[in-house]
Every structure is written in structure tokens, then in C-alpha cells.
Amino acid sequence: PPNKCRIQKSCPENHFAFKIISGAANVVGPSICFNGMILMSSVKNNIGRGLNIALVNGTSGQLLKADTFDMYSG
């Protein structure tokens, strides 16, 4: 099967795969993938300019909260 989050290597047992893409201006939006599940992306319409952060339970891998912090507007 393909690796989770389209990373090149498989993760060892008891580890989570993740991939963070920062985006490119307003052309390509940022995205966060964790253990094969897209947590934040332009398709999910839950990203914004500034810092896009996803809080994940380190034991279960469950998404606890996702939010954006606009550092430009203060």
C-alpha cells in the first residue's frame, strides 16, 4: 500500500507519519497531513494566512483542534 501522507518512507511501528506543506503565496495553499488524514487544506477551507496549526493527541493521533493565527494583522 502507498505510504501515509505520500511520504517516501514508511514509518516504524508505533510512529505517526506527517507532512506539512507551507504553500506558495496565494497560488498554492498550505496543508497538514497526519497519519494519512488531511487535517488542514484549502479543500477543507480551514486554512488562512499566517500560522496554521493542528493540535493532535500524541497517543491516539486524534485531531484535537485546528486553527489559524494571522501574524500580519496582529
Side-chain angles (χ1 to χ4, degrees):
N3 295 333
K4 293 179 180 177
C5 294
R6 297 183 178 175
I7 59 175
Q8 292 180 358
K9 292 182 174 182
S10 295
C11 287
E13 193 172 325
N14 297 322
H15 286 74
F16 293 113
F18 69 93
K19 185 174 187 177
I20 299 172
I21 299 173
S22 64
N26 61 354
V27 178
V28 177
S31 67
I32 299 175
C33 177
F34 185 82
N35 213 36
M37 183 174 66
I38 301 295
L39 302 181
M40 299 182 81
S41 72
S42 56
V43 173
K44 293 183 94 98
N45 198 30
N46 64 349
I47 58 167
R49 74 176 181 187
L51 300 174
N52 293 281
I53 298 175
L55 178 62
V56 177
N57 181 308
T59 303
S60 68
Q62 176 186 15
L63 176 66
L64 301 175
K65 184 172 180 159
D67 210 342
T68 299
F69 300 93
D70 186 345
M71 304 300 288
Y72 182 75
S73 69

